[in-house]
Amino acid sequence: MGKNIFFAKVRAQLGDRLLLADSSEYESSRGVWNGMHDRRPLAVCRCLTAADVSVVLQSAVAEGLPVTVRGGGHNVAGLAVADGAVMIDLSLMREVVVDPAARLASAQGGCLLRDLDAATAPHGLACPAGVVSHTGLGGLALGGGYGWLATKWGLTCDHIVAAEVVLADGRVVEAAEGPPGQHEDLLWALRGGGGNFGVVTRFTLRLRPVRDVGHWTSVYPLDAAGEALASYRAFAGGQPADLHTVGTLKHAGEQEWIPAVLRGRPALFLSAAWFGEQGGAPEALAPLLAGAKPAAVLARQISYAQLQALGDSSEPFGNRYFTKSCYLAELSSGVIETALASARAIRSPRSSIDFEYLRGAIADVPAESSAFPCRDAPYIYTASAQWTDPADDGENAEWSRHSIDSLRPHHYGGTYVNYVQDEADGDVSGIYGTGRYRKLGIVKGRYDPKNVFCHNKNIQPVLNDAATHGED
């Protein structure tokens, strides 16, 4: 009976945007980026407004139905969808409005990064974000948001100026900096605390100036990778703010610029993006290239939007993914040796090991200004397994796990919440640390005391008199 009441209430609000199992669009709408997660929600509720979201939430809670939220559906753990749950689908809410004079963008909660870039780039502006343009803005921003501009300008979550949020009880509030009553505590939690506190239907984002980007990629055979990585280690901490470099160990592709002898074999790729004045990159890159001689180098000038889309083809929708990550204190000789061993052991030619030096503007942001932890971590290191055959699930997931576990003596501590997929990494308090997790729990108790938003890397609500009487 409860389900039928829910269906009636929501259909009155959404009409044919309520998708049930017998709907023609149900199968396509329930899919998420990671093909490992094949789950069947009770209903997919395709919302267009905060009012739509409010009705769906109130109706689901009234009938005791579990709820999930889909923005871009790109989370590695498939958190947007759960069997038997009500999916609040924001994928139709993708409008972006830019105020170039104020350097602000208003972006709806279902936006993909490509929607944001397409709206801001014509104004010579960008919000620092991830490196795959079909990633959802909401999930990325709420969990942190590393990307090409992070060490120059900071994380995506650092650029959230305000947010329109639909709470578990259906209220629509604006979380913003300002006088009491603006829900500053909620804004603090949204900046890196994950999707635990409500449904963000609109982000107001600070924008930064960008120009065309100098982009370089050098490739090295594995027998020369140790020397190249030693050069990267010596270079990374001193690279200028206008330069960001990343490393990848993966099977080389068939591109013309890659020497034929390396194609299809594990290799090291070092990539750099230069955001400064044209002509300054060669001098900035010289110390990095002074070590091992690369087998080939691809150099080009591209737009920022093109830079943001470079990773799209390598991470297609529907493949199977298993990701495990850690922070590293240093790129020592032991780390390099272990990383190269993991590269030689890659089970699928689609898989990769990615690493980059962080800090810069990430570490410059005061720790207390957001819920995001581990701002001072030197390196992030990720083993991303990707394959297509379900029969290969076990060996690929185990490769990813072993790649990270083998580096345990070198771990810096903490984990990037957006990359947590393994159930073995389920201790959310360990991600945020005791003090920050306690504060997040208090905010959770104020805005979602019944833990309606629990299909995520969940923060348990702290319930007491002081925590449950926040201002409306």
Side-chain angles (χ1 to χ4, degrees):
M1 181 65 71
K3 293 178 183 179
N4 290 335
I5 294 173
F6 168 80
F7 294 151
K9 289 179 179 177
V10 174
R11 192 173 296 282
Q13 178 74 19
L14 301 185
D16 60 7
R17 288 183 283 114
L18 170 64
L19 307 180
L20 306 181
D22 59 355
S23 302
S24 60
E25 295 178 79
Y26 173 84
E27 288 298 327
S28 60
S29 66
R30 73 181 179 88
V32 291
W33 168 74
N34 188 349
M36 288 190 75
H37 307 297
D38 183 18
R39 302 170 188 150
R40 303 189 67 82
L42 171 69
V44 177
C45 303
R46 308 193 76 186
C47 298
L48 286 174
T49 64
D52 286 350
V53 174
S54 178
V55 168
V56 174
L57 265 175
Q58 290 181 78
S59 302
V61 170
E63 304 307 324
L65 300 174
V67 173
T68 66
V69 183
R70 176 195 173 107
H74 208 278
N75 184 272
V76 294
L79 301 179
V81 59
D83 289 327
V86 173
M87 181 200 286
I88 296 175
D89 182 2
L90 306 180
S91 62
L92 300 180
M93 300 178 64
R94 293 173 59 178
E95 181 184 57
V96 181
V97 177
V98 178
D99 181 342
R103 290 186 176 178
L104 293 174
S106 173
Q108 287 187 307
C111 283
L112 306 182
L113 300 188
R114 64 167 63 122
D115 301 321
L116 183 61
D117 291 335
T120 60
H123 302 285
L125 298 170
C127 178
V131 297
V132 175
S133 75
H134 50 75
T135 301
L137 168 65
L140 177 89
L142 294 175
Y146 291 116
W148 284 107
L149 286 171
T151 54
K152 180 175 176 63
W153 295 121
L155 304 170
T156 311
C157 69
D158 299 330
H159 291 74
I160 303 175
V161 175
E164 178 184 75
V165 187
V166 185
L167 303 179
D169 60 8
R171 287 181 298 152
V172 182
V173 302
E174 184 82 3
E177 297 174 338
Q182 293 299 304
H183 306 283
E184 285 186 283
D185 57 342
L186 179 57
L187 181 64
W188 173 87
L190 295 175
R191 291 171 169 167
N196 286 278
F197 310 98
V199 183
V200 179
T201 49
R202 187 188 70 248
F203 293 90
T204 302
L205 300 166
R206 182 181 297 109
L207 303 177
R208 304 290 190 172
V210 293
R211 53 164 61 93
D212 284 353
V213 180
H215 186 260
W216 285 260
T217 302
S218 52
V219 61
Y220 305 81
L222 279 194
D223 58 10
E227 184 181 353
L229 288 173
S231 294
Y232 176 72
R233 177 181 62 212
F235 167 82
Q239 60 189 312
D242 283 326
L243 184 69
H244 188 70
T245 54
V246 300
T248 303
L249 291 161
K250 63 179 182 179
H251 284 212
E254 298 296 324
Q255 296 92 331
E256 288 187 6
W257 72 275
I258 296 176
V261 69
L262 294 183
R263 296 174 191 173
R265 302 179 62 183
L268 168 68
F269 292 81
L270 293 178
S271 298
W274 172 254
F275 299 100
E277 297 288 345
Q278 288 190 17
E283 181 180 353
L285 278 169
L288 177 62
L289 300 177
K293 181 178 175 58
V297 177
L298 175 66
R300 52 191 167 171
Q301 195 81 4
I302 58 177
S303 70
Y304 177 75
Q306 288 174 315
L307 174 74
Q308 287 294 93
L310 287 180
D312 288 6
S313 61
S314 63
E315 297 192 8
F317 190 98
N319 280 1
R320 305 176 79 79
Y321 297 88
F322 190 93
T323 298
K324 202 167 173 68
S325 182
C326 67
Y327 293 115
L328 295 175
E330 58 180 342
L331 204 65
S332 65
S333 297
V335 169
I336 291 172
E337 182 178 335
T338 303
L340 295 179
S342 293
R344 294 185 182 96
I346 283 177
R347 308 304 300 169
S348 166
R350 302 173 186 265
S351 299
S352 66
I353 295 169
D354 303 282
F355 53 92
E356 59 190 301
Y357 185 81
L358 302 174
R359 293 192 170 170
I362 302 168
D364 291 340
V365 174
E368 66 274 9
S369 69
S370 74
F372 188 82
C374 299
R375 286 191 176 274
D376 60 350
Y379 290 91
I380 188 168
Y381 181 101
T382 305
S384 301
Q386 179 188 164
W387 66 102
T388 57
D389 189 343
D392 298 333
D393 285 2
E395 64 175 334
N396 283 284
E398 180 54 32
W399 170 80
S400 175
R401 288 192 186 100
H402 179 74
S403 297
I404 301 302
D405 291 346
S406 62
L407 288 171
R408 191 162 298 280
H410 307 279
H411 287 189
Y412 186 76
T415 309
Y416 181 37
V417 70
N418 280 349
Y419 287 170
V420 176
Q421 180 178 0
D422 199 342
E423 292 181 2
D425 298 324
D427 179 13
V428 181
S429 64
I431 294 174
Y432 290 100
T434 303
R436 183 176 275 104
Y437 182 78
R438 169 74 180 179
K439 185 175 178 180
L440 284 166
I442 292 172
V443 177
K444 176 77 167 180
R446 288 178 182 149
Y447 294 98
D448 185 17
K450 296 181 180 179
N451 202 15
V452 171
F453 302 107
C454 61
H455 287 276
N456 47 43
K457 297 307 170 187
N458 193 235
I459 292 163
Q460 293 295 307
V462 173
L463 304 177
N464 56 50
D465 289 342
T468 56
H469 290 88
E471 294 178 279
D472 291 342

